Amino acid sequence: MKQPKPFSSFFSHFHIKSFVLQPYSSYSVMAQTRTSPDPENEHPPRNLTLTADARVERAWAHWTKLGRPKLIVAPMVDNSELPYRMLCRKYGAQAAYTPMLHGRIFTEAEKYRNEEFTTCKEDRPLFVQFCANDPDILLEAARRVEPFTDYVDINLGCPQRIAKKGNYGAFLMDNLPLVKSLVEKLALNLEVPVSCKIRLFPKLEDTLKYAKMLEEAGCLLLAVHGRTRDEKDGSKFRADWKAIKAVKEAVRIPVLANGNIRHMDDVKDCLEATGVEGVLSAETLLENPALFAGFRTEEWVSGCEEGTFVDGKLDQADLLIEYLNLCEKYPVPWRIIRSHVHKLLGDWFSLQPHIREDFNKQYKVTFEYLYDMVDQLRETGTRIPLYRKSTEMEPTESYTDQHN
């Protein structure tokens, strides 16, 4: 079995690729026909029909087939939708999760399916994530997306009150037999691999038993958020990379790390500290979708030696314009667009609160209004650059000039 490439090999070959957008395709349109099946592996053996060694071999073969992505957009409710995934992919993301989809609602409501799950040809590798507490309902939901995803992911990590009320996410940690049945149901009945995203138990030994149980149940990829269920606030609780390393060493399938990824130096440090195959970023990507291209906000350059970081010739208003362009090609609900506007322009609005107040007053928002709003911000002289290391900058061109 091939082992992962060394860390140094990844960074020596890291580069950003631009992409060409394709016409918008909604789930309801795409679901009519299977697109781009793999003729050599269209019907692979289902996970639990294989021996343990064969499952591990399949896990690594699939991961290798996807290119062993290391820079991954984490699942974010109402925030990791298609246009934002595509924006992050332009700026270095090598794979992405959908937002968490509610398994039962997904099976019952066509409108929910059409609005909450959209994808396109370039939106790969893709992990479609569901929350559920009923194996049969989860399988029904998973079968609807199976042709369009590289993994069906089970959310076992959401710590929010709504997850407690609905009995899903991290609150299934209290019912491990149910968790096992969810994984086994998919592993026995899907052709696409099953992945899981988990949080830590307070005791490391419980976390390791949990990870091994998931592997034995048929999980072929494990993403570990390095915080417990009670550690909801990432600004107050640092992710435990040592615990993630312990999980990586306890299982034989590929493992991803989630937590404490604020810039590319964190990516490097996390990969070295944990030995995982890749990292996920969530909150930081919301304010800086160019994180994986080496850009960072002012917060993460303050205190550094003068001259180490320079204006990257890119800012969050530039990124918002790109995002809005993508939303015009790949429509999403306006509540999602509003959320991204606030995340991207939060610091800008703090300097021009009257523009934020006018935005918040809008009952109905249009693209024209949002483009004009960005122009208003520019006209006030407001600009908050994103920064890159001076050694990575070309002398004359901006990033967008180089990659458009």
Side-chain angles (χ1 to χ4, degrees), residues 2 77 82 128 130-131 222 348 377 385 398 401:
K2 293 184 179 180
V77 174
L82 176 59
V128 178
F130 289 103
C131 69
L222 186 62
W348 298 58
L377 284 168
S398 70
D401 288 337

Side-chain angles (χ1 to χ4, degrees), residues 248-313:
K248 166 63 183 170
E249 292 173 347
V251 299
R252 299 163 64 195
I253 58 176
V255 175
L256 307 175
N258 186 190
N260 301 353
I261 302 300
R262 304 157 301 182
H263 44 68
M264 287 301 288
D265 286 345
D266 285 340
V267 173
K268 179 177 181 293
D269 291 344
C270 183
L271 291 173
E272 289 180 339
T274 63
V276 296
E277 280 57 62
V279 301
L280 279 63
S281 182
E283 289 297 323
T284 303
L285 277 177
L286 292 181
E287 64 177 27
N288 176 20
L291 181 159
F292 290 141
F295 292 89
R296 60 179 75 189
T297 57
E298 187 174 9
E299 179 181 5
W300 305 116
V301 302
S302 60
C304 295
E305 184 178 347
E306 186 175 351
T308 303
F309 291 92
V310 296
D311 185 335
K313 309 301 181 185

